[in-house]
Amino acid sequence: MTRRTPKSDGIHGIDCLPSFPINGTSAGRTEYSFPSLFYMSPQVDEETPLLQVQQDKPQRTPLPWFQFTIVLFLQLAEPLTSQVIYPFLPQLIRDIGITRGDETKVGHYVGLLQSLFFLTQAMTVLHWSRISDRIGRKPVILIGLFGLSMSMYCFGLATTFWGLVLSRSLNGALNGNIGVIKSIMAEMTDATNIAQAYAYMPIAWSTGGVLGPMIGGALARPAEQFPHLFGHNEFLKKYPYFLPCAVPATFSAIAWLVTFLFLEETVQAPAFALPKIFRFKTNNTGKLMISAPEINDVTTEIPDNAKPVPFRKLLNRRVLIAAGNYATLSLVDITFRAIQPLFFSTPVELGGLGLPPSSIGNLLSIFGLLNGVMQVFFFAKLHDYFGSKKTFIMGIASTFPIFACFPILTYLVKSNGGVTPLAWVFVLLQIIFSLSISFSYGAIFIYISAASPNRASLGATNGLSQMTVSICRAIGPAASNSLFSLSMKHHYLGGFLVYYVLFTIAALALVAATLLPRKV
């Protein structure tokens, strides 16, 4: 091998890259390869610039604000639907008589109803998400919004426990929107603006977290709360919880219309072209004709590497670790969300705070408001500074002081015979600590989007993750609330057995978080 002497470019006084001959020639010419910059030792002399040219940071891609705002608006339907029942659900269980006056059984039935939604969602969410990869996101979202609307109207009209069970089950089975909407958001963004998008994502959940409990607490049993307005309304006397359920049901119907008219499809070549189901055109005689539905053949329009991958290829280490951590986070979170309103409504003599539905709704609304503000203004900054993994772990770690507040509050109210100012301080502290959990959601969504085998499989990846989450959310409320009732009834570990279990779950979630890669 013949070594060639590097020459100056004559401009910057910096030696040009030396080239080296490699085996083989082309048309009688010797070909040269260039070594990596990693192995170069550039000459430094008096002509070398003191300030080296630095690579600019990539510019953040602007979000498509019109479509992005529509997605946030659509996402509001689900938190409204789920949160509106929380303030009055314990009282509803008492009213229908399923507990036969046994206060310790209220938590069992409340948890069962909370879990039914997620249990039926777990059975169908992967199905809806995989379908959305093929026929498009828009048709699936329309089906989900229709399911949310009809099931909530039915929930408000139910007068038996089995009626509540049926409507809540339909609510979960027909709604696969949560995974599909995450796929849309990932398809609208890139690596430069995805953290910003997920910072705005909690606006919908926080708004629903504010309005849902307020609506549920303020409009439940309206004939009693507002006798001058509804005191003579026999319908609302017979169905005292229809009014708060009708509000999110009507909102879902409006969201359906907005989706149909304005939402753009984000799947590259959906097999089902919704805007072109009915195409109006005229024939040779000038008569108006309606053509048959248009079906695109995805196998001929997009290459193989841009198609959704088979299900077995989703089960790789990256997807499973991201989905597993999403599941453990959701399990910790849902157990806290399920126990908190039950604890607030439990009589003081049994260790709860004995608050009415309106007060519970106000407290949950305060959390929703604070959560929205914190997410919008601080998530992207915290994520950029700490990274996805540390942000996620920070939220998991905050659950330890959150769970510790429950036994402390029980001790305070029992010792003082009621809710004291000091007890309210711990209620506020619990709400403040719980804000950190939402930071973990934004971080894990980024991991899940990055773990997808390709862009066309985002729906299936989100669906698989959401299925594991729905299973945990189905188990969490029923198990934690039943354990809460058993701990209170039989005084296991002084009535605090449920909190020991919650601490154990949080510790396992923290261990699972260490498996996440340091960089996405």
Side-chain angles (χ1 to χ4, degrees):
M1 179 181 293
T2 305
R3 182 172 181 178
R4 302 182 64 194
T5 304
K7 299 178 181 179
S8 172
D9 64 1
I11 299 175
H12 298 96
I14 303 176
D15 292 331
C16 296
L17 292 176
S19 57
F20 295 86
I22 59 175
N23 293 333
T25 60
S26 174
R29 296 189 305 271
T30 302
E31 296 180 358
Y32 294 92
S33 65
F34 295 88
S36 169
L37 287 175
F38 180 79
Y39 297 101
M40 291 297 297
S41 298
Q43 179 180 340
V44 179
D45 56 24
E46 65 276 10
E47 297 184 18
T48 302
L50 295 177
L51 297 178
Q52 301 294 330
V53 178
Q54 296 182 356
Q55 184 178 2
D56 294 336
K57 290 180 66 176
Q59 297 256 337
R60 177 176 289 175
T61 306
L63 290 171
W65 282 109
F66 180 69
Q67 289 295 309
F68 187 71
T69 303
I70 292 176
V71 171
L72 293 180
F73 177 77
L74 302 181
Q75 200 175 20
L76 180 58
E78 186 159 341
L80 268 181
T81 301
S82 62
Q83 296 287 330
V84 74
I85 70 171
Y86 275 37
F88 63 76
L89 190 55
Q91 188 60 45
L92 173 59
I93 293 297
R94 297 182 185 105
D95 290 349
I96 62 176
I98 190 69
T99 63
R100 293 182 173 85
D102 188 349
E103 186 67 28
T104 61
K105 292 182 179 179
V106 172
H108 170 72
Y109 289 103
V110 167
L112 182 60
L113 281 179
Q114 290 172 339
S115 295
L116 273 173
F117 170 84
F118 298 108
L119 180 62
T120 53
Q121 187 185 62
M123 296 176 181
T124 60
V125 67
L126 179 59
H127 169 75
W128 291 120
S129 296
R130 294 188 72 189
I131 285 179
S132 76
D133 281 336
R134 301 184 181 278
I135 71 171
R137 314 294 184 206
K138 191 170 179 176
V140 176
I141 289 178
L142 289 173
I143 295 172
L145 290 172
F146 177 82
L148 281 177
S149 182
M150 292 300 102
S151 60
M152 281 308 294
Y153 281 125
C154 293
F155 193 89
L157 294 172
T159 56
T160 65
F161 181 73
W162 289 110
L164 298 175
V165 167
L166 178 61
S167 59
R168 196 65 174 163
S169 299
L170 289 174
N171 197 319
L174 296 176
N175 177 41
N177 285 1
I178 186 168
V180 177
I181 286 178
K182 290 172 188 171
S183 300
I184 289 180
M185 294 187 71
E187 288 164 338
M188 285 182 175
T189 58
D190 56 31
T192 66
N193 59 8
I194 190 170
Q196 181 190 19
Y198 283 131
Y200 286 102
M201 188 176 178
I203 290 178
W205 286 94
S206 300
T207 304
V210 172
L211 297 179
M214 288 178 63
I215 293 168
L219 299 183
R221 305 170 70 93
E224 297 178 11
Q225 291 202 72
F226 310 102
H228 56 290
L229 291 177
F230 306 109
H232 301 289
N233 192 313
E234 296 300 324
F235 178 81
L236 293 180
K237 286 182 179 180
K238 184 177 180 180
Y239 304 104
Y241 302 101
F242 176 79
L243 192 58
C245 293
V247 174
T250 304
F251 178 86
S252 297
I254 295 172
W256 188 99
L257 189 62
V258 171
T259 300
F260 184 79
L261 294 176
F262 301 112
L263 184 66
E264 296 178 0
E265 182 59 67
T266 57
V267 173
Q268 181 182 357
F272 185 66
L274 186 66
K276 301 178 182 178
I277 293 178
F278 298 109
R279 301 183 67 190
F280 295 93
K281 59 183 181 181
T282 57
N283 60 8
N284 295 333
T285 63
K287 293 182 179 180
L288 186 65
M289 304 288 291
I290 301 178
S291 67
E294 178 178 310
I295 303 295
N296 296 331
D297 183 4
V298 296
T299 60
T300 60
E301 294 195 8
I302 54 178
D304 288 341
N305 60 359
K307 296 178 188 175
V309 301
F311 179 73
R312 64 181 181 276
K313 290 190 176 181
L314 288 178
L315 304 179
N316 58 67
R317 188 175 187 273
R318 290 176 59 192
V319 173
L320 293 178
I321 288 179
N325 274 277
Y326 185 21
T328 56
L329 168 64
S330 299
L331 180 61
V332 172
D333 185 33
I334 197 65
T335 52
F336 165 62
R337 307 295 174 200
I339 286 179
Q340 188 185 37
L342 180 61
F343 178 84
F344 287 163
S345 69
T346 299
V348 171
E349 56 270 18
L350 294 177
L353 301 186
L355 301 178
S358 57
S359 298
I360 296 172
N362 290 335
L363 285 174
L364 297 181
S365 296
I366 290 172
F367 163 77
L369 180 62
L370 292 175
N371 188 43
V373 172
M374 292 291 290
Q375 288 290 312
V376 170
F377 290 104
F378 295 103
F379 172 72
K381 294 178 181 178
L382 285 173
H383 180 270
D384 291 343
Y385 184 78
F386 290 110
S388 297
K389 185 171 184 177
K390 289 182 180 179
T391 303
F392 181 81
I393 290 176
M394 178 179 64
I396 295 291
S398 68
T399 58
F400 290 97
I402 290 172
F403 293 147
C405 287
F406 284 122
I408 293 173
L409 284 168
T410 297
Y411 172 78
L412 290 175
V413 297
K414 282 190 173 182
S415 300
N416 298 283
V419 182
T420 62
L422 183 59
W424 284 115
V425 170
F426 277 93
V427 170
L428 182 60
L429 284 175
Q430 188 180 57
I431 291 175
I432 291 173
F433 277 115
S434 65
L435 298 174
S436 298
I437 299 179
S438 297
F439 291 143
S440 293
Y441 279 106
I444 201 63
F445 292 158
I446 293 174
Y447 272 109
I448 292 171
S449 297
S452 178
N454 60 22
R455 200 168 185 84
S457 301
L458 271 172
T461 304
N462 278 306
L464 176 64
S465 302
Q466 198 61 47
M467 183 184 70
T468 61
V469 167
S470 297
I471 292 172
C472 290
R473 287 176 172 172
I475 297 171
S480 60
N481 284 6
S482 296
L483 192 58
F484 178 87
S485 295
L486 288 173
S487 301
M488 185 171 56
K489 184 175 183 179
H490 299 288
H491 297 285
Y492 292 133
L493 295 178
F496 296 150
L497 173 63
V498 60
Y499 306 124
Y500 285 101
V501 174
L502 294 180
F503 277 119
T504 303
I505 294 173
L508 293 175
L510 200 58
V511 172
T514 62
L515 299 177
L516 288 168
R518 189 171 63 88
K519 290 186 178 181
V520 178

